[in-house]
Amino acid sequence: MKILKVTLHLIEQPLLSPFTTSLATVNRRESILVEISGDKGHIGWGEVVAFSSPWYTEETIKTCWHIMEDFLIPLVLNQQITHPTELTTLFSSIKRHNMAKAGIETACWDLFAKEEGIPLSKAIGGSRVKIEAGVVVSLTTIDQMLFKIEEHLNQGYKRIKIKISPGKEYQIVKRIFDEFPNIPLMVDANSAYQLKDIHHLQALDEFGLMMIEQPLGYDDIIDHAILQKELQTPICLDESIVTYEDARKAIELGSCRIMNIKVGRVGGLTEAIKIHNLCLQHNIPVWVGGMLETGISRAHNIHLASLSNFTIPGDISASSRYWKQDIIIPEVQVEKGNISVPETRGIGFEVNVERIQAITKEQRIYT
Ligand code: MG
């Protein structure tokens, strides 16, 4: 394929309700949509999942725009690309900036699958026709969280995740299990703990949680290995794993027993697949993490989750979990806790151009 044109769309839309973690609250969500036009008349779509401020990783919407405009787009424009995996080499001179890279790389995967006339899941070697949906409950009052959990369980979600912070976690988790004794529950700390807080985390062992996600430093794998030895509950790493090499080292050290893979965090689908395959070899189950994304990134996540070692329901929920109106047609639906993997070519959803125009703050075309 040859990329003749790249269009960046900066959009902004309100979340249906504010989303709070131990680190930040998100009310309005900016995203950059990447539209890539190929020489065979097809269009590929990708999404930059960085936030407006660097609370999750160091990248932001503005850094991603800058890196794409000044460095990444010039590397792909008018290039003959045989396969999307070549972008890893093409981008290797640019250090990190994984979410910027993933925005373009995922658009190239969509374009490639469309040109081949196959669903993205087939292009990446996926086999599932349905994936299991999980959902995240924002950190609010315990009564509000219980209300939301009941709603999501009634909607059929197969796994509930809550955000926790030190000192309040035991009481919240206990209340949840008192109300819903059989709930498939996991907790995400977004790095809110230190090793000295180990007693808070050990206290959670009695509940048999599915996992504790990223309890310690956002860039740590050493202390997590120490912590995992002292915990019965599996640790899942999120923020700490930004490359295949991070994943390899975390597995060798015993820093986690489960891994969360986010396409944006690791720089694209190619690296995500490599990490998936590594984890498969080591019996580490994986799941797809969410970034409060629009339907485009959500679609990429659905296809990624069709790979065999994605055995744990991910943060892939219905479009209506976050948006009054999503930017894809049809919107992502959850039926009895499952999402169907689209069988039409590419990401398998149409992009709602009118909706995108209605929420666009800035658009730029590169040829
Ligand atoms: Mg997380």
Side-chain angles (χ1 to χ4, degrees):
M1 61 187 168
K2 195 169 181 179
I3 296 162
L4 302 181
K5 184 170 87 170
V6 179
T7 308
L8 298 184
H9 309 258
L10 173 60
I11 60 168
E12 183 177 350
Q13 49 188 334
L15 289 169
L16 274 179
S17 54
F19 189 86
T20 302
T21 71
S22 62
L23 298 172
T25 295
V26 181
N27 292 293
R28 298 184 64 79
R29 179 68 162 115
E30 284 185 308
S31 321
I32 304 171
L33 307 179
V34 182
E35 178 184 2
I36 286 185
S37 307
D39 60 342
K40 298 187 182 73
H42 296 289
I43 290 176
W45 287 90
E47 177 175 339
V48 170
V49 297
F51 293 102
S52 305
S53 68
W55 66 268
Y56 172 70
T57 64
E58 65 275 23
E59 291 183 273
T60 67
I61 288 288
K62 279 187 181 163
T63 68
C64 288
W65 190 286
H66 157 57
I67 293 295
M68 287 192 292
E69 178 172 87
D70 292 337
F71 301 101
L72 301 177
I73 292 173
L75 287 172
V76 296
L77 259 186
N78 294 310
Q79 288 296 315
Q80 194 65 48
I81 295 165
T82 311
H83 194 271
T85 50
E86 291 169 20
L87 290 189
T88 308
T89 314
L90 216 51
F91 289 166
S92 62
S93 59
I94 314 292
K95 300 285 182 288
R96 293 200 180 237
H97 294 287
N98 285 349
M99 292 183 189
K101 289 175 179 170
I104 293 174
E105 198 247 20
T106 51
C108 286
W109 271 104
D110 181 30
L111 180 61
F112 171 77
K114 282 171 177 162
E115 289 188 354
E116 295 289 308
I118 55 173
L120 181 59
S121 60
K122 289 276 177 302
I124 63 172
S127 53
R128 273 176 231 285
V129 295
K130 268 184 197 172
I131 60 155
E132 293 188 320
V135 70
V136 191
V137 173
S138 177
L139 188 58
T140 50
T141 66
I142 180 66
D143 287 334
Q144 281 175 312
M145 289 169 75
L146 288 169
F147 177 79
K148 277 285 164 199
I149 288 169
E150 183 167 22
E151 183 180 301
H152 293 316
L153 288 172
N154 289 337
Q155 288 162 340
Y157 282 104
K158 308 262 187 179
R159 183 226 71 190
I160 305 287
K161 164 165 144 182
I162 61 162
K163 298 285 186 176
I164 55 165
S165 60
K168 297 179 198 150
E169 67 295 281
Y170 184 87
Q171 187 197 358
I172 291 176
V173 171
K174 184 162 185 346
R175 275 291 301 279
I176 294 171
F177 276 105
D178 285 346
E179 297 274 336
F180 311 103
N182 300 316
I183 185 173
L185 185 72
M186 59 167 291
V187 298
D188 184 5
N190 288 106
S191 305
Y193 294 78
Q194 298 175 358
L195 270 183
K196 67 178 173 56
D197 303 317
I198 194 165
H199 54 286
H200 286 302
L201 300 168
Q202 283 171 325
L204 297 176
D205 274 341
E206 71 177 76
F207 298 109
L209 291 164
M210 295 171 77
M211 70 195 87
I212 299 175
E213 187 180 350
Q214 196 71 35
L216 306 177
Y218 69 93
D219 56 354
D220 170 77
I221 53 172
I222 307 282
D223 285 352
H224 278 103
I226 297 168
L227 180 64
Q228 182 64 91
K229 288 187 185 71
E230 304 296 326
L231 287 183
Q232 290 165 25
T233 311
I235 290 175
C236 169
L237 288 179
D238 173 356
E239 285 91 332
S240 298
I241 307 298
V242 295
T243 62
Y244 171 90
E245 278 302 303
D246 291 336
R248 179 184 67 75
K249 290 168 191 167
I251 292 170
E252 280 183 21
L253 288 171
S255 313
C256 65
R257 294 188 199 139
I258 298 174
M259 227 176 268
N260 155 350
I261 299 179
K262 290 182 181 171
V263 177
R265 195 190 68 224
V266 304
L269 280 165
T270 302
E271 193 79 357
I273 295 162
K274 276 177 67 185
I275 294 172
H276 162 276
N277 294 346
L278 178 75
C279 288
L280 179 62
Q281 286 166 21
H282 292 272
N283 295 317
I284 304 272
V286 297
W287 52 277
V288 178
M291 289 290 291
L292 310 177
E293 53 253 295
T294 80
I296 290 174
S297 173
R298 200 168 294 268
H300 283 282
N301 287 346
I302 291 168
H303 288 279
L304 178 64
S306 73
L307 295 177
S308 65
N309 194 36
F310 283 99
T311 52
I312 298 173
D315 291 341
I316 309 179
S317 43
S319 296
S320 60
R321 161 71 183 86
Y322 294 111
W323 315 114
K324 194 167 156 220
Q325 186 184 1
D326 205 342
I327 59 165
I328 53 166
I329 303 169
E331 298 200 346
V332 175
Q333 310 271 2
V334 173
E335 282 169 29
K336 293 184 182 156
N338 295 305
I339 298 172
S340 299
V341 180
E343 290 170 2
T344 49
R345 64 188 179 189
I347 57 172
F349 293 87
E350 292 302 316
V351 169
N352 187 338
V353 177
E354 264 177 38
R355 175 64 185 157
I356 290 175
Q357 277 168 356
I359 53 176
T360 294
K361 292 168 77 177
E362 192 174 348
Q363 186 200 71
R364 212 168 292 171
I365 296 171
Y366 306 86
T367 53

